[in-house]
Amino acid sequence: MLLCALSTCCCVRLIDVFVANDEIDMVRYRLRLHASVTVRFIIAESNLTHTGKSKPLHIRSALSEEELQRYNVRLLAVPFTSDQRTRANCS
């Protein structure tokens, strides 16, 4: 809302892109908080943690189809193979 008041044009279109892991409550909070000023959310999630450990894709199973549609969410899976993990020197 404040962004529209500061903008000289009401045609501002914001896309919120962020990475997520298992912080489902924070993802839902962010979706609700930014919904009025964002036209699209893109959530990137990998099968590896930042330290290189394997993990499941939490966001896809946690958000309902209704939430994905209501907030216009695109889920972006960023898979890494064991070879890519080795080359990136994750241990």
Side-chain angles (χ1 to χ4, degrees):
M1 293 183 219
L2 179 59
L3 186 59
C4 288
L6 296 176
S7 174
T8 58
C9 173
C10 286
C11 300
V12 175
R13 296 175 50 110
L14 295 177
I15 299 173
D16 187 358
V17 181
F18 59 97
V19 297
N21 184 13
D22 61 353
E23 55 279 341
I24 307 305
D25 290 337
M26 289 303 296
V27 168
R28 285 191 171 114
Y29 176 73
R30 183 177 185 142
L31 294 174
R32 286 192 310 271
L33 182 67
H34 295 176
S36 65
V37 295
T38 304
V39 296
R40 178 94 171 187
F41 290 91
I42 300 174
I43 305 173
E45 185 178 24
S46 178
N47 61 326
L48 297 178
T49 66
H50 289 286
T51 59
K53 294 182 177 135
S54 295
K55 68 171 215 53
L57 300 178
H58 298 286
I59 303 301
R60 183 169 305 281
S61 60
L63 293 180
S64 69
E65 189 61 37
E66 190 271 331
E67 288 173 306
L68 297 175
Q69 290 178 7
R70 179 180 352 143
Y71 297 114
N72 196 16
V73 174
R74 177 169 179 229
L75 297 176
L76 180 62
V78 184
F80 285 94
T81 64
S82 58
D83 182 50
Q84 290 170 319
R85 178 182 167 186
T86 303
R87 284 189 283 141
N89 198 23
C90 293
S91 50

